Amino acid sequence: MRRMVEILAPYGFGALALGGWQAAVWGLHVPPYVMPGPAAIVSAYFGAHGVLDSGLLATLAVTGAALLVAAMLGLVLALLMAASPLFRAAIQPWAVIIQVTPVVALAPFIIIWVNQPFACLVICAVIVAFFPILSNTAAGLAATPQELLDLFRLNGASRWQILFQLSLPYALPDFLTGLRISGTLALVGAVVAEFVAGSGGFASGLAWQIIEASYRLEIPRMFAALVLLGMTGVAIYAALGLLEHLLLAKRNRA
Amino acid sequence: MFALETLSKRYDTGVLALDGVNAEIAPGEFVALLGPSGCGKSTLLRLLAGLEAPSAGRVAWDGHTGAPAPGEIGFVFQDATLLPWASAAENVYLPLKLRHVARREAAPKIAAALAQVGLSEFAGTRPKGLSGGMRMRVSIARALVSEPILLLMDEPFAALDEFTRHKLQDDLLALWARTGKTIVFVTHSIYEAAYLANRILVMSPRPGRVAADLQARLPQGPHRRASGEYVALVERITACFREIMPT
Ligand SMILES: Nc1ncnc2c1ncn2[C@@H]1O[C@H](COP(=O)(O)OP(=O)(O)OP(=O)(O)O)[C@@H](O)[C@H]1O
Ligand SMILES: [Mg+2]
């Protein structure tokens, strides 16, 4: 019973907040171009769902592509760093520098250098997203127990056997944690890049929808795009959580 | 038979861990390496296994040098260090799998190794579902499955509770009596060394040397732990340490 209440609590709170919001907008006669209520936002979505849905798809495409590239890049770099201390020493500071430089500041350069808008947005999102995968995977690979490495060596294991039967499975949980963090960061990166690129960019993503709607003072549509972005973030986080659960379920069972 | 010939080990850090260790170990001996923390017991075991190269001296196997072949050494660590995603049987299979022994060919060996440690019923259980003592048994089965000529154990029971430790000690004695394996068992417990081994190499504080080489012959059976011979042996070892430990 207690648990049930706890599970339902966030929905209850959400419903209450939305209700209160709607009531305030109605009661105080706030015009929708200042602050639309939930009902106006929902109807704005259905009024423009063709554009908004394709905007969602465009942003999702950038996010998905960026996450894929970030995962491969992070994994490969982590493996190379684990294999060669020299490579680690050479790469690590640069990875950190790229990570700490705000992507908003980097994006204009990338927009100048990369003419293809899709590639440009993906690169920006990758820059934001790859670091957690790299650092988590590298930490996981480095944490392979020495005893097991010894055991593999005692039985004449090859480098590849150590990599595929020991180090990679050991780093899998860390990789997946990194992936989950990177998933939402890729979305952030995609949105930031769309904002910076503006009409010079992709000109169809959800972030662009927000900019365009603001030019036209269509505040409910801005909100509708914002809500879609929020829901996308939650969906990505949940999907990667599910992936983690499925891949690790075996080792968590007795 | 294998021999440690004036074996020394200095690590890159400058620490001299072992300084001229001499010993000969005959087939079928159960040797306890006993010494205070940091005296180089683990180092000596790793040199024996060929995991680390000596700075001076050598380990001679039946007179010739060279690292033992894959699978000739069974190693049991202080922690069970099982693969968490693999079942007990898969963990025991690992040393054979690494040497490309097919699963079908390995199956009877895996079953036999698990039976030796009394875990036949838990073949399909992953480490999460096993107690600390059971995990250690799986670890021992994993070391036995490749039928090593030498079984090296580095404080395997140190992390277990006393009841489990006593049980595993008795099981190990039974296994030794049954198989006649050559065992080198590292411990820093005088009682454990006295109870298990038929020969005790007492090591000096760092840099490790063999300070005493004691033979033991305790009675078999349930009264071993309370036997006069056991008490006398513990006393002999204690006297050794009184001499070599700085006051
Ligand atoms: N890889 C290493 N690099 C540098 N020094 C090391 C290394 N391994 C061990 N040592 C040092 O060598 C000495 C002997 O270590 P060793 O682990 O062999 O001792 P031990 O007798 O097994 O101790 P314990 O009972 O605590 O396990 C210690 O001073 C230790 O700090
Ligand atoms: Mg040790």
Side-chain angles (χ1 to χ4, degrees), chain A residues 52-66 118 121 125 186-191 194 202 204-209 229 232 236:
Chain A
L52 285 172
D53 288 350
S54 75
L56 174 64
L57 278 183
T59 302
L60 267 181
V62 173
T63 306
F118 183 76
L121 298 183
L187 181 64
V188 171
V191 167
E194 276 185 45
F202 212 39
S204 70
L206 270 182
W208 171 250
Q209 300 291 334
L229 270 179
T232 307
I236 291 173

mmCIF file of all heavy atoms in Angstrom, chain A residues 52-66 118 121 125 186-191 194 202 204-209 229 232 236:
data_model
loop_
_atom_site.group_PDB
_atom_site.id
_atom_site.type_symbol
_atom_site.label_atom_id
_atom_site.label_comp_id
_atom_site.label_asym_id
_atom_site.label_seq_id
_atom_site.Cartn_x
_atom_site.Cartn_y
_atom_site.Cartn_z
ATOM 1 N N LEU A 52 5.681 19.606 -35.944
ATOM 2 C CA LEU A 52 6.337 19.253 -34.678
ATOM 3 C C LEU A 52 6.836 17.811 -34.697
ATOM 4 O O LEU A 52 7.949 17.517 -34.245
ATOM 5 C CB LEU A 52 5.363 19.458 -33.507
ATOM 6 C CG LEU A 52 5.137 20.923 -33.116
ATOM 7 C CD1 LEU A 52 4.022 21.048 -32.099
ATOM 8 C CD2 LEU A 52 6.426 21.537 -32.573
ATOM 9 N N ASP A 53 6.043 16.891 -35.242
ATOM 10 C CA ASP A 53 6.467 15.488 -35.300
ATOM 11 C C ASP A 53 7.701 15.323 -36.181
ATOM 12 O O ASP A 53 8.637 14.583 -35.832
ATOM 13 C CB ASP A 53 5.329 14.599 -35.810
ATOM 14 C CG ASP A 53 4.238 14.437 -34.765
ATOM 15 O OD1 ASP A 53 4.482 14.867 -33.616
ATOM 16 O OD2 ASP A 53 3.164 13.913 -35.091
ATOM 17 N N SER A 54 7.701 16.032 -37.316
ATOM 18 C CA SER A 54 8.887 15.889 -38.168
ATOM 19 C C SER A 54 10.085 16.564 -37.499
ATOM 20 O O SER A 54 11.223 16.119 -37.656
ATOM 21 C CB SER A 54 8.630 16.435 -39.568
ATOM 22 O OG SER A 54 8.644 17.845 -39.545
ATOM 23 N N GLY A 55 9.822 17.635 -36.719
ATOM 24 C CA GLY A 55 10.899 18.242 -35.945
ATOM 25 C C GLY A 55 11.455 17.267 -34.924
ATOM 26 O O GLY A 55 12.671 17.125 -34.760
ATOM 27 N N LEU A 56 10.550 16.544 -34.280
ATOM 28 C CA LEU A 56 10.962 15.535 -33.303
ATOM 29 C C LEU A 56 11.822 14.462 -33.965
ATOM 30 O O LEU A 56 12.889 14.090 -33.460
ATOM 31 C CB LEU A 56 9.715 14.904 -32.671
ATOM 32 C CG LEU A 56 9.962 13.735 -31.719
ATOM 33 C CD1 LEU A 56 10.746 14.200 -30.506
ATOM 34 C CD2 LEU A 56 8.646 13.103 -31.282
ATOM 35 N N LEU A 57 11.365 14.005 -35.128
ATOM 36 C CA LEU A 57 12.127 12.974 -35.840
ATOM 37 C C LEU A 57 13.515 13.490 -36.213
ATOM 38 O O LEU A 57 14.513 12.772 -36.068
ATOM 39 C CB LEU A 57 11.376 12.540 -37.099
ATOM 40 C CG LEU A 57 10.277 11.510 -36.874
ATOM 41 C CD1 LEU A 57 9.652 11.103 -38.203
ATOM 42 C CD2 LEU A 57 10.861 10.283 -36.168
ATOM 43 N N ALA A 58 13.586 14.733 -36.684
ATOM 44 C CA ALA A 58 14.874 15.297 -37.090
ATOM 45 C C ALA A 58 15.828 15.360 -35.902
ATOM 46 O O ALA A 58 16.986 14.941 -35.981
ATOM 47 C CB ALA A 58 14.668 16.687 -37.682
ATOM 48 N N THR A 59 15.325 15.866 -34.769
ATOM 49 C CA THR A 59 16.179 15.963 -33.584
ATOM 50 C C THR A 59 16.578 14.574 -33.079
ATOM 51 O O THR A 59 17.719 14.341 -32.677
ATOM 52 C CB THR A 59 15.459 16.753 -32.477
ATOM 53 O OG1 THR A 59 15.139 18.046 -32.981
ATOM 54 C CG2 THR A 59 16.330 16.907 -31.255
ATOM 55 N N LEU A 60 15.624 13.648 -33.131
ATOM 56 C CA LEU A 60 15.937 12.272 -32.715
ATOM 57 C C LEU A 60 17.007 11.658 -33.615
ATOM 58 O O LEU A 60 17.889 10.936 -33.131
ATOM 59 C CB LEU A 60 14.673 11.407 -32.777
ATOM 60 C CG LEU A 60 13.871 11.287 -31.492
ATOM 61 C CD1 LEU A 60 12.675 10.369 -31.714
ATOM 62 C CD2 LEU A 60 14.745 10.752 -30.361
ATOM 63 N N ALA A 61 16.929 11.944 -34.913
ATOM 64 C CA ALA A 61 17.917 11.390 -35.850
ATOM 65 C C ALA A 61 19.312 11.893 -35.500
ATOM 66 O O ALA A 61 20.272 11.112 -35.433
ATOM 67 C CB ALA A 61 17.553 11.762 -37.285
ATOM 68 N N VAL A 62 19.413 13.195 -35.224
ATOM 69 C CA VAL A 62 20.719 13.759 -34.843
ATOM 70 C C VAL A 62 21.193 13.123 -33.541
ATOM 71 O O VAL A 62 22.335 12.674 -33.419
ATOM 72 C CB VAL A 62 20.626 15.295 -34.681
ATOM 73 C CG1 VAL A 62 21.929 15.838 -34.110
ATOM 74 C CG2 VAL A 62 20.309 15.942 -36.012
ATOM 75 N N THR A 63 20.297 13.061 -32.566
ATOM 76 C CA THR A 63 20.668 12.512 -31.259
ATOM 77 C C THR A 63 21.117 11.059 -31.381
ATOM 78 O O THR A 63 22.150 10.659 -30.832
ATOM 79 C CB THR A 63 19.469 12.601 -30.294
ATOM 80 O OG1 THR A 63 19.004 13.942 -30.253
ATOM 81 C CG2 THR A 63 19.870 12.170 -28.899
ATOM 82 N N GLY A 64 20.329 10.266 -32.114
ATOM 83 C CA GLY A 64 20.652 8.845 -32.271
ATOM 84 C C GLY A 64 21.985 8.654 -32.965
ATOM 85 O O GLY A 64 22.835 7.877 -32.507
ATOM 86 N N ALA A 65 22.184 9.393 -34.070
ATOM 87 C CA ALA A 65 23.445 9.259 -34.807
ATOM 88 C C ALA A 65 24.604 9.673 -33.915
ATOM 89 O O ALA A 65 25.651 9.004 -33.875
ATOM 90 C CB ALA A 65 23.401 10.110 -36.067
ATOM 91 N N ALA A 66 24.414 10.768 -33.169
ATOM 92 C CA ALA A 66 25.493 11.260 -32.308
ATOM 93 C C ALA A 66 25.824 10.248 -31.215
ATOM 94 O O ALA A 66 26.992 9.995 -30.908
ATOM 95 C CB ALA A 66 25.101 12.593 -31.683
ATOM 96 N N PHE A 118 23.373 18.207 -41.344
ATOM 97 C CA PHE A 118 23.163 17.047 -40.481
ATOM 98 C C PHE A 118 24.475 16.648 -39.812
ATOM 99 O O PHE A 118 24.554 16.493 -38.589
ATOM 100 C CB PHE A 118 22.599 15.873 -41.300
ATOM 101 C CG PHE A 118 22.293 14.649 -40.472
ATOM 102 C CD1 PHE A 118 21.167 14.616 -39.667
ATOM 103 C CD2 PHE A 118 23.133 13.551 -40.498
ATOM 104 C CE1 PHE A 118 20.877 13.500 -38.910
ATOM 105 C CE2 PHE A 118 22.860 12.429 -39.736
ATOM 106 C CZ PHE A 118 21.723 12.402 -38.941
ATOM 107 N N LEU A 121 25.505 19.124 -37.069
ATOM 108 C CA LEU A 121 24.797 18.967 -35.791
ATOM 109 C C LEU A 121 25.273 17.721 -35.046
ATOM 110 O O LEU A 121 25.459 17.737 -33.826
ATOM 111 C CB LEU A 121 23.283 18.880 -36.035
ATOM 112 C CG LEU A 121 22.626 20.114 -36.669
ATOM 113 C CD1 LEU A 121 21.128 19.913 -36.784
ATOM 114 C CD2 LEU A 121 22.921 21.349 -35.847
ATOM 115 N N ALA A 125 26.896 17.376 -31.261
ATOM 116 C CA ALA A 125 26.310 16.509 -30.235
ATOM 117 C C ALA A 125 27.309 15.452 -29.768
ATOM 118 O O ALA A 125 27.352 15.107 -28.583
ATOM 119 C CB ALA A 125 25.039 15.849 -30.778
ATOM 120 N N ALA A 186 23.618 13.794 -25.534
ATOM 121 C CA ALA A 186 23.552 13.898 -26.995
ATOM 122 C C ALA A 186 22.358 14.746 -27.396
ATOM 123 O O ALA A 186 22.437 15.562 -28.323
ATOM 124 C CB ALA A 186 23.456 12.504 -27.621
ATOM 125 N N LEU A 187 21.261 14.585 -26.690
ATOM 126 C CA LEU A 187 20.076 15.403 -26.957
ATOM 127 C C LEU A 187 20.386 16.878 -26.673
ATOM 128 O O LEU A 187 20.068 17.763 -27.467
ATOM 129 C CB LEU A 187 18.904 14.913 -26.106
ATOM 130 C CG LEU A 187 17.586 15.673 -26.294
ATOM 131 C CD1 LEU A 187 17.063 15.489 -27.708
ATOM 132 C CD2 LEU A 187 16.540 15.209 -25.279
ATOM 133 N N VAL A 188 21.034 17.108 -25.522
ATOM 134 C CA VAL A 188 21.433 18.481 -25.184
ATOM 135 C C VAL A 188 22.311 19.059 -26.291
ATOM 136 O O VAL A 188 22.089 20.178 -26.775
ATOM 137 C CB VAL A 188 22.197 18.511 -23.834
ATOM 138 C CG1 VAL A 188 22.789 19.900 -23.594
ATOM 139 C CG2 VAL A 188 21.277 18.114 -22.699
ATOM 140 N N GLY A 189 23.295 18.281 -26.721
ATOM 141 C CA GLY A 189 24.211 18.740 -27.768
ATOM 142 C C GLY A 189 23.471 19.050 -29.058
ATOM 143 O O GLY A 189 23.730 20.077 -29.711
ATOM 144 N N ALA A 190 22.530 18.165 -29.431
ATOM 145 C CA ALA A 190 21.774 18.377 -30.665
ATOM 146 C C ALA A 190 20.975 19.673 -30.581
ATOM 147 O O ALA A 190 20.949 20.469 -31.533
ATOM 148 C CB ALA A 190 20.848 17.183 -30.912
ATOM 149 N N VAL A 191 20.332 19.907 -29.446
ATOM 150 C CA VAL A 191 19.507 21.105 -29.280
ATOM 151 C C VAL A 191 20.372 22.366 -29.307
ATOM 152 O O VAL A 191 20.066 23.338 -30.001
ATOM 153 C CB VAL A 191 18.700 21.013 -27.963
ATOM 154 C CG1 VAL A 191 18.092 22.359 -27.614
ATOM 155 C CG2 VAL A 191 17.627 19.956 -28.090
ATOM 156 N N GLU A 194 21.446 23.073 -32.790
ATOM 157 C CA GLU A 194 20.345 23.616 -33.590
ATOM 158 C C GLU A 194 20.146 25.097 -33.290
ATOM 159 O O GLU A 194 19.930 25.901 -34.195
ATOM 160 C CB GLU A 194 19.044 22.863 -33.286
ATOM 161 C CG GLU A 194 18.874 21.574 -34.072
ATOM 162 C CD GLU A 194 17.504 20.972 -33.806
ATOM 163 O OE1 GLU A 194 16.518 21.721 -33.820
ATOM 164 O OE2 GLU A 194 17.449 19.747 -33.555
ATOM 165 N N PHE A 202 19.870 22.985 -39.832
ATOM 166 C CA PHE A 202 19.003 21.949 -40.305
ATOM 167 C C PHE A 202 17.626 22.521 -40.656
ATOM 168 O O PHE A 202 16.961 22.055 -41.561
ATOM 169 C CB PHE A 202 18.888 20.998 -39.136
ATOM 170 C CG PHE A 202 18.715 19.600 -39.517
ATOM 171 C CD1 PHE A 202 19.399 19.059 -40.587
ATOM 172 C CD2 PHE A 202 17.878 18.788 -38.774
ATOM 173 C CE1 PHE A 202 19.241 17.737 -40.903
ATOM 174 C CE2 PHE A 202 17.722 17.480 -39.088
ATOM 175 C CZ PHE A 202 18.404 16.942 -40.148
ATOM 176 N N SER A 204 14.761 22.368 -39.176
ATOM 177 C CA SER A 204 13.553 21.552 -39.035
ATOM 178 C C SER A 204 13.470 20.851 -37.687
ATOM 179 O O SER A 204 12.441 20.297 -37.366
ATOM 180 C CB SER A 204 13.471 20.522 -40.172
ATOM 181 O OG SER A 204 14.468 19.559 -39.988
ATOM 182 N N GLY A 205 14.547 20.882 -36.908
ATOM 183 C CA GLY A 205 14.533 20.182 -35.620
ATOM 184 C C GLY A 205 13.622 20.850 -34.602
ATOM 185 O O GLY A 205 13.082 21.926 -34.846
ATOM 186 N N LEU A 206 13.469 20.197 -33.463
ATOM 187 C CA LEU A 206 12.564 20.728 -32.428
ATOM 188 C C LEU A 206 13.057 22.059 -31.871
ATOM 189 O O LEU A 206 12.268 22.959 -31.597
ATOM 190 C CB LEU A 206 12.438 19.718 -31.286
ATOM 191 C CG LEU A 206 11.314 18.691 -31.404
ATOM 192 C CD1 LEU A 206 11.297 17.818 -30.172
ATOM 193 C CD2 LEU A 206 9.979 19.366 -31.618
ATOM 194 N N ALA A 207 14.375 22.193 -31.701
ATOM 195 C CA ALA A 207 14.920 23.448 -31.184
ATOM 196 C C ALA A 207 14.625 24.576 -32.167
ATOM 197 O O ALA A 207 14.285 25.694 -31.766
ATOM 198 C CB ALA A 207 16.421 23.313 -30.955
ATOM 199 N N TRP A 208 14.793 24.262 -33.413
ATOM 200 C CA TRP A 208 14.471 25.260 -34.437
ATOM 201 C C TRP A 208 12.989 25.640 -34.385
ATOM 202 O O TRP A 208 12.633 26.798 -34.574
ATOM 203 C CB TRP A 208 14.864 24.738 -35.817
ATOM 204 C CG TRP A 208 14.355 25.625 -36.919
ATOM 205 C CD1 TRP A 208 13.385 25.356 -37.815
ATOM 206 C CD2 TRP A 208 14.776 26.966 -37.191
ATOM 207 N NE1 TRP A 208 13.157 26.416 -38.644
ATOM 208 C CE2 TRP A 208 14.009 27.449 -38.279
ATOM 209 C CE3 TRP A 208 15.725 27.831 -36.612
ATOM 210 C CZ2 TRP A 208 14.144 28.714 -38.805
ATOM 211 C CZ3 TRP A 208 15.869 29.090 -37.150
ATOM 212 C CH2 TRP A 208 15.085 29.529 -38.227
ATOM 213 N N GLN A 209 12.140 24.667 -34.087
ATOM 214 C CA GLN A 209 10.704 24.954 -33.954
ATOM 215 C C GLN A 209 10.461 25.971 -32.841
ATOM 216 O O GLN A 209 9.621 26.859 -32.966
ATOM 217 C CB GLN A 209 9.918 23.680 -33.618
ATOM 218 C CG GLN A 209 10.016 22.568 -34.651
ATOM 219 C CD GLN A 209 9.301 22.925 -35.928
ATOM 220 O OE1 GLN A 209 8.365 23.729 -35.905
ATOM 221 N NE2 GLN A 209 9.754 22.355 -37.034
ATOM 222 N N LEU A 229 10.508 17.905 -26.315
ATOM 223 C CA LEU A 229 11.939 17.716 -26.022
ATOM 224 C C LEU A 229 12.125 17.043 -24.665
ATOM 225 O O LEU A 229 12.919 16.114 -24.517
ATOM 226 C CB LEU A 229 12.649 19.069 -26.003
ATOM 227 C CG LEU A 229 13.216 19.565 -27.333
ATOM 228 C CD1 LEU A 229 13.875 20.929 -27.138
ATOM 229 C CD2 LEU A 229 14.234 18.561 -27.865
ATOM 230 N N THR A 232 11.218 13.491 -24.877
ATOM 231 C CA THR A 232 12.248 12.748 -25.605
ATOM 232 C C THR A 232 13.408 12.393 -24.675
ATOM 233 O O THR A 232 13.903 11.266 -24.672
ATOM 234 C CB THR A 232 12.779 13.592 -26.776
ATOM 235 O OG1 THR A 232 11.674 14.029 -27.553
ATOM 236 C CG2 THR A 232 13.729 12.786 -27.636
ATOM 237 N N ILE A 236 14.660 8.654 -23.865
ATOM 238 C CA ILE A 236 16.019 8.162 -24.134
ATOM 239 C C ILE A 236 16.615 7.562 -22.869
ATOM 240 O O ILE A 236 17.165 6.447 -22.878
ATOM 241 C CB ILE A 236 16.921 9.312 -24.646
ATOM 242 C CG1 ILE A 236 16.475 9.743 -26.031
ATOM 243 C CG2 ILE A 236 18.378 8.889 -24.660
ATOM 244 C CD1 ILE A 236 17.192 10.979 -26.542
#
